[in-house]
Each structure stands twice: as structure tokens, then as C-alpha cells.
Amino acid sequence: MTVVVMHHAAGETPAAVIRVLAGAGLASRAVPLADGADPTADLGGVEGLILLGGSGSAGAGGGVDGGTGGGAGLVRAALAAEVPVLAPGTGTRLLVRAAGPATGTSSRPTAPGSRWPAPA
């Protein structure tokens, strides 16, 4: 089983995450995001994608939360292939942008004054 770890800082490997995955018996590949580029990776045999943020992920236009680049294409491909995606911290921004607007509707009522469903 292989897990792809996307991270913002080019030249830096997310060593702690790689170590934990290796300790769990999982192979991993690090995919750095650089200058808003949209990396490609073969998703064959990939069982998970981890999106890590970083110092460059807070600004608009590039990095993990960049608009059209910054890894969104790879995340969309993973979602389309039904590869599980974990996006802690600022990696969540990329996941939200790559996933796009929700197309489904909730059968649960919306809480008054909110766009979120009321608690069950």
C-alpha cells in the first residue's frame, strides 16, 4: 500500500510523516508543491493521499491553497479515483478548493441563521 504525501516546502521531505507511515508498514512518496505548480503523480496502487500545508500555504495564488495550481489537479484526480484524502490543518484549503462546490443536498434541516445542518 502506498500513500502519497503532498507538501508545500520544495526540497523538504515531511520526515515525521514518512517515518510514521513506514512504522505502520506503508510505503510513501513525497510530492512537493513548488511555485503554484500542479504536480502529477501516478495514482495506480495509491491507497491514500495526505495534504500537508506549510508556511507558503497561507497566501492566495499558490502553494497548498492556490487557485488552479498548487496541487488541485492531483487532488481532483484522487477524489475521482476514490482515493481517501487526509488534509490536516491548512491542507484542508486545497481539499475544499479541489472538491469544488457541493452538488448534493442534505435531508437534514438547516440551523436558523446558518448554512450548516442543524445538529441531529
Side-chain angles (χ1 to χ4, degrees):
M1 180 198 288
T2 300
V3 176
V4 172
V5 180
M6 280 183 24
H7 58 100
H8 179 69
E12 289 183 22
T13 302
V17 173
I18 302 294
R19 267 194 314 275
V20 169
L21 292 171
L26 302 171
S28 61
R29 282 194 316 248
V31 177
L33 298 174
D35 301 324
D38 202 3
T40 58
D42 178 14
L43 293 174
V46 171
E47 297 292 329
L49 175 63
I50 299 175
L51 310 176
L52 300 177
S55 59
S57 64
V64 171
D65 70 340
T68 57
L74 179 58
V75 175
R76 278 192 288 278
L79 293 172
E82 297 185 358
V83 172
V85 177
L86 174 64
T90 57
T92 305
R93 294 177 184 164
L94 174 58
L95 178 58
V96 168
R97 290 189 182 179
T103 56
T105 58
S106 174
S107 60
R108 295 173 58 193
T110 302
S114 172
R115 61 185 178 142
W116 306 107

